[in-house]
C-alpha cells in the first residue's frame, strides 16, 4: 500500500493538480416471411427483419367475420377466427394470419428470444482509471475498474410475455497500447487493484472496456432457460497520458 500512496504523491507533486473524486422494452412478434416482429404496443408500430434489413408497419387485429360468417372464417368449435395483419406506411400488406381462440400458443424458441435480445438497447460500461486526473506514471500499476450491472427486461414474442434476466458475462479491457485483458469481474477502486496495467513508454493512450452481455429467459412464468449467444457492447475510450515522475525538492532542514 505504501508504494501506491507514494507514487500518487509523486504524481500529484509533479503535475496532477487538484484531487479527483470517482465518480422494459415491450417487444412482440408474429410468424411470417419477415422474420421476427418487434411490436411497440404504446406506439402501435412494429419493426421486423434480419440484422441487415428492417420493415416498419402498423399492427391490426379484429374479428375475421363482421356479419354473416362462412366456413372459412369459423373454427371447428363454432367460434369466429381472429384476423391479424401488419400494414406498411404505404398501405402494403406485410404479414397476416387467421387464428382460432382454441389454437395452441405458438412456441417461443430460444432462437426467437436471441433475436429479440440482440434488439434490446444495452448500456456500455463506464471506465474509471486510477490515478485520477487523466495521468499515470510509466512502469506503474495503473488501476482500471467499472461498475457491475444487471438488467431485467420484459418483451412480448408471438403474443406471449417473455422475461429476461440480463447480466455481464465478461469484460474486455483495451489499454490503448496494443495490450488487452478479458476478465469476468469489473475490477475495483483502490486499494483492491484487481485490474491493473503498466505502460512501458510515455505517451497518450485511449483505454476502454467492452462488455459482453448474456441472459436467461422464461415464457409466461415457466422455468428459466439460457438465451443462446451473447451481445458485446463497445465502451467509450478514456483519455490517459503516461508520464515519467521527476523528483521535486519540497523542503530541506538542518
Amino acid at each position: 500500500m505504501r508504494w501506491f500512496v507514494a507514487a500518487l504523491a509523486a504524481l500529484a507533486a509533479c503535475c496532477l493538480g487538484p484531487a479527483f473524486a470517482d465518480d422494459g422494452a415491450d417487444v412482440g412478434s408474429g410468424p411470417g416471411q419477415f422474420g421476427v416482429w418487434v411490436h411497440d404496443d404504446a406506439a402501435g408500430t412494429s419493426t421486423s427483419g434480419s440484422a441487415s434489413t428492417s420493415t416498419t408497419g402498423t399492427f391490426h387485429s379484429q374479428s375475421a367475420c363482421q356479419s354473416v360468417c362462412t366456413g372459412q372464417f369459423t373454427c371447428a368449435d363454432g367460434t369466429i377466427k381472429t384476423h391479424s395483419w401488419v400494414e406498411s406506411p404505404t398501405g402494403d400488406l406485410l404479414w397476416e394470419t387467421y387464428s382460432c381462440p382454441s389454437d395452441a400458443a405458438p412456441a417461443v424458441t430460444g432462437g426467437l428470444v436471441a433475436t429479440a435480445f440482440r434488439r434490446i438497447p444495452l448500456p456500455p460500461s463506464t471506465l474509471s482509471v486510477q490515478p485520477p486526473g487523466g495521468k499515470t506514471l510509466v512502469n506503474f500499476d495503473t488501476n482500471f475498474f467499472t461498475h457491475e450491472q444487471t438488467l431485467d427486461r420484459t418483451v412480448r414474442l408471438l403474443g406471449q410475455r417473455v422475461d429476461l434476466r440480463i447480466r455481464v458475462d465478461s469484460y474486455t479491457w483495451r489499454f490503448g497500447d496494443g495490450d488487452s485483458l478479458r476478465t469476468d469481474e469489473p475490477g475495483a477502486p483502490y486499494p483492491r487493484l484487481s485490474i491493473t496495467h503498466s505502460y512501458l513508454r510515455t505517451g497518450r493512450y485511449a483505454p476502454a472496456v467492452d462488455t459482453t452481455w448474456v441472459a436467461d429467459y422464461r415464457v409466461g412464468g415457466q422455468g428459466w432457460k439460457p438465451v443462446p449467444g451473447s451481445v458485446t457492447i463497445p465502451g467509450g475510450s478514456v483519455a490517459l497520458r503516461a508520464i515519467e515522475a521527476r523528483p521535486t525538492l519540497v523542503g530541506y532542514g538542518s
Side-chain angles (χ1 to χ4, degrees), residues 83-100:
H83 180 206
S84 303
W85 73 98
V86 175
E87 187 179 86
S88 74
T90 59
D92 296 327
L93 183 65
L94 301 178
W95 167 81
E96 71 172 340
T97 188
Y98 291 86
S99 59
C100 294

Side-chain angles (χ1 to χ4, degrees), residues 96-167:
E96 71 172 340
T97 188
Y98 291 86
S99 59
C100 294
S102 59
D103 290 345
V108 175
T109 65
L112 194 62
V113 177
T115 300
F117 177 42
R118 291 193 295 269
R119 296 175 183 269
I120 295 175
L122 299 173
S125 294
T126 300
L127 179 64
S128 296
V129 183
Q130 292 175 324
K135 294 179 182 178
T136 188
L137 299 176
V138 173
N139 296 318
F140 172 74
D141 283 344
T142 304
N143 188 40
F144 298 86
F145 66 96
T146 186
H147 298 288
E148 190 171 9
Q149 304 179 73
T150 58
L151 304 171
D152 292 319
R153 295 291 184 269
T154 298
V155 301
R156 297 195 69 82
L157 299 174
L158 302 181
Q160 301 175 68
R161 176 190 174 102
V162 179
D163 298 316
L164 290 166
R165 297 187 306 196
I166 306 171
R167 65 188 186 281

Side-chain angles (χ1 to χ4, degrees), residues 195-218:
I195 308 297
T196 64
H197 181 70
S198 295
Y199 293 93
L200 304 181
R201 298 178 179 85
T202 60
R204 298 182 183 274
Y205 300 94
V209 58
D210 301 336
T211 308
T212 298
W213 297 88
V214 295
D216 297 317
Y217 77 98
R218 66 179 179 184

Side-chain angles (χ1 to χ4, degrees), residues 58-91:
T58 303
F59 178 82
H60 303 274
S61 183
Q62 65 180 31
S63 173
C65 180
Q66 303 299 324
S67 54
V68 179
C69 297
T70 62
Q72 69 181 102
F73 296 126
T74 59
C75 304
D77 59 2
T79 57
I80 301 173
K81 291 183 178 181
T82 298
H83 180 206
S84 303
W85 73 98
V86 175
E87 187 179 86
S88 74
T90 59

